[in-house]
Amino acid sequence: MTTETKLPFEQEDISSYSTKNNDPAWLSELRIQAFSELEKLPMPKPDKTKIDKWNFTSFQTHTVESEAFASLEELPEEIKSIIEENENLYIQRNNTPAHINLSANVKEQGVIFTDILSAARDHAELVQKYFMKDGVKISEHRLTALHAALVNGGAFLYVPKNVEIKEPIQSVFLLDNPDTTLFNHVLIVAEDNSSVTYVENYFSTVESNEGVANIVTEVFANANAKVQYGAVDTLSKGFTTYVNRRGVAGRDARIEWALGLMNDGNTISDNTTYLMGDGSHGDTKTVVVGRGEQKQNFTTAIIHYGKRSEGYILKHGVMKESASSIFNGIGKIEYGATKANAEQESRVLMLSEKARGDANPILLIDEDDVTAGHAASVGRVDPLQLYYLMSRGITKKEAERLVIHGFLAPVVNELPIEGVKKQLVAVIERKVQ
């Protein structure tokens, strides 16, 4: 049984947008196909979280056209502080590509870095090969089909074989118009023996009354490639967010995630890594702070198909006021993935009586010759830690702040750009005050 979805658009609207956008034929057809499947597909069913009254489909404007930035000096000060002097930078302002730059050194090595819609036109064969096929599939549920039909922004990063990029590649998705609707798609392809570090920031400078964010990322690390992926999400309270970050790792490949999930609105997050190749490695570190009355559900999964594959999940969350969050960690070892190792740890710290956190470690093992383990805890600030700090002249408020930062540090310290790391620390500071 499916629930009827009231959509503020028709198939003709999608065709019109695709034509206006000069989409290639394959993308236009994909949009229409996705739209035709919408009503047949169920909504996702996040564990222990009722989303039937959440707004994922009602919005006033599909695309907000904004001015590009003539220079980086025009950026808000908050954005300047996180980009530092990064030469490899893409900035999207609402739904408009507003700045793009790739250093000459990186460009000479054949790296492609551009907005996703330009990439669909200019690198059609390459984008079509990976777009919503083996990572996130259109037919998974209604929100993935909705995403495919309405994608209106995002980034594409391609790293050729044997190319190792030392400096990080960064995307900033800036929302400074309250009518913005996000259907962002980020696609990263690292060919054999390549390596790259990618960092993205979702940054709201205005409140949204009833915003919708439907964000999908697909990361492909082919044989012996390495992708480090960092993100800090800070969408404002008015946004209802669905975010799906998916990785596919080939033989001896590595995908490492460091995610600071700091949205102020209701959020569903799905972060799944498929370890397809023998010797592949997946590592996910996630930090979350919830406040107010927001409700969130975070599912992190690493699925082992390859022999000797290694999967590690670390999730730390802080809940305050009346916020509630579900933290699901899933380590699944498929039949034939001998010598695989699945490890996970989820810990939730609650700062008030009404705050709620639920940590659910799940191991699904279909092979005998493997290693697996998990740990989970939900609790309040340790009074002994507070006592120790206060006995050295620190106030209770400052002691709590230090304990919280220490609790979240394992993820914060993994972010590869110093400015982004400082931003996440500042966001944590603001949210736990």
Side-chain angles (χ1 to χ4, degrees):
M1 179 180 176
T2 59
T3 304
E4 183 182 358
T5 301
K6 293 182 179 179
L7 301 172
F9 50 86
E10 302 290 343
Q11 180 171 313
E12 292 75 16
D13 299 315
I14 294 173
S15 297
S16 176
Y17 173 71
S18 191
T19 300
K20 179 182 176 183
N21 197 51
N22 197 25
D23 284 344
W26 71 265
L27 182 54
S28 297
E29 292 165 6
L30 183 145
R31 290 183 188 275
I32 298 303
Q33 175 202 342
F35 181 79
S36 68
E37 294 181 13
L38 265 173
E39 290 296 340
K40 305 171 191 172
L41 295 170
M43 289 290 287
K45 297 178 180 177
D47 186 43
K48 300 180 182 179
T49 304
K50 292 186 67 175
I51 63 169
D52 54 312
K53 291 184 170 52
W54 292 22
N55 172 37
F56 293 104
T57 59
S58 178
F59 49 85
Q60 297 298 316
T61 307
H62 172 244
T63 303
V64 171
E65 295 184 4
S66 305
E67 293 290 327
F69 295 110
S71 76
L72 296 183
E73 289 303 312
E74 296 180 3
L75 292 173
E77 290 301 320
E78 305 98 313
I79 302 300
K80 290 180 184 177
S81 68
I82 62 175
I83 63 174
E84 297 181 331
E85 296 180 0
N86 192 359
E87 288 189 82
N88 307 305
L89 177 65
Y90 169 61
I91 299 175
Q92 179 178 302
R93 186 177 188 182
N94 303 308
N95 308 117
T96 301
H99 174 86
I100 182 73
N101 189 70
L102 199 60
S103 71
N105 174 52
V106 172
K107 199 178 296 184
E108 287 168 1
Q109 297 180 77
V111 174
I112 301 169
F113 184 45
T114 186
D115 70 274
I116 189 69
L117 298 178
S118 293
R121 293 189 297 269
D122 301 338
H123 308 281
E125 186 175 342
L126 191 54
V127 175
Q128 187 180 7
K129 178 181 177 181
Y130 290 97
F131 188 89
M132 299 196 79
K133 288 184 176 177
D134 298 321
V136 177
K137 294 179 173 60
I138 293 171
S139 59
E140 287 186 23
H141 50 68
R142 195 171 301 172
L143 295 186
T144 51
L146 187 68
H147 175 91
L150 297 180
V151 60
N152 61 5
F156 174 66
L157 172 60
Y158 175 79
V159 185
K161 286 183 180 180
N162 304 316
V163 172
E164 296 185 18
I165 305 300
K166 302 299 183 185
E167 51 276 49
I169 310 285
Q170 185 176 13
S171 292
V172 176
F173 301 105
L174 169 64
L175 283 72
D176 62 4
N177 185 313
D179 294 328
T180 301
T181 301
L182 275 182
F183 286 89
N184 256 25
H185 195 100
V186 173
L187 176 58
I188 298 174
V189 179
E191 296 283 19
D192 298 357
N193 307 310
S194 66
S195 68
V196 67
T197 296
Y198 171 85
V199 179
E200 69 183 14
N201 303 79
Y202 282 89
F203 201 100
S204 297
T205 60
V206 294
E207 290 293 327
S208 175
N209 294 324
E210 198 175 70
V212 173
N214 184 317
I215 298 164
V216 171
T217 289
E218 299 180 285
V219 175
F220 295 89
N222 294 334
N224 200 41
K226 179 180 179 181
V227 178
Q228 290 180 285
Y229 188 108
V232 178
D233 300 347
T234 57
L235 294 178
S236 61
K237 184 179 178 180
F239 272 95
T240 300
T241 301
Y242 166 75
V243 56
N244 187 335
R245 292 182 168 112
R246 190 77 53 88
V248 180
R251 177 181 52 81
D252 295 322
R254 297 176 67 94
I255 298 178
E256 300 176 359
W257 309 88
L259 307 176
L261 306 181
M262 298 288 153
N263 294 335
D264 279 331
N266 293 342
T267 299
I268 299 176
S269 172
D270 180 344
N271 177 212
T272 300
T273 306
Y274 294 113
L275 301 181
M276 304 303 297
D278 294 348
S280 53
H281 184 108
D283 189 310
T284 300
K285 294 182 173 68
T286 305
V287 61
V288 175
V289 177
R291 65 177 178 175
E293 297 183 353
Q294 71 179 136
K295 301 187 185 309
Q296 302 180 95
N297 185 292
F298 303 97
T299 297
T300 304
I302 298 182
I303 317 297
H304 299 250
Y305 291 91
K307 297 178 174 64
R308 304 179 309 282
S309 52
E310 300 267 344
Y312 300 92
I313 296 172
L314 176 65
K315 302 168 77 173
H316 283 196
V318 173
M319 298 295 112
K320 62 177 292 190
E321 298 164 353
S322 298
S324 64
S325 288
I326 305 295
F327 295 85
N328 294 317
I330 302 171
K332 189 173 194 309
I333 300 179
E334 301 287 355
Y335 179 74
T338 55
K339 306 294 183 184
N341 181 24
E343 303 287 342
Q344 60 173 291
E345 174 188 323
S346 297
R347 304 201 181 278
V348 183
L349 194 62
M350 294 182 292
L351 303 183
S352 67
E353 292 295 328
K354 293 184 178 181
R356 292 290 179 267
D358 191 355
N360 305 305
I362 302 165
L363 292 173
L364 304 170
I365 312 297
D366 290 332
E367 181 58 66
D368 294 329
D369 187 12
V370 299
T371 305
H374 62 76
S377 68
V378 177
R380 307 197 182 280
V381 175
D382 187 343
L384 290 178
Q385 288 181 318
L386 293 180
Y387 177 79
Y388 175 82
L389 292 169
M390 291 168 66
S391 69
R392 278 148 179 77
I394 298 174
T395 65
K396 182 179 179 181
K397 185 176 181 180
E398 178 66 9
E400 279 191 345
R401 189 186 72 83
L402 292 173
V403 168
I404 291 165
H405 278 284
F407 179 75
L408 300 178
V411 176
V412 175
N413 292 338
E414 288 295 314
L415 286 168
I417 295 180
E418 195 61 33
V420 175
K421 192 183 299 184
K422 289 178 181 176
Q423 180 214 3
L424 181 53
V425 170
V427 172
I428 292 170
E429 190 82 21
R430 172 172 55 82
K431 294 193 74 166
V432 300
Q433 286 296 325

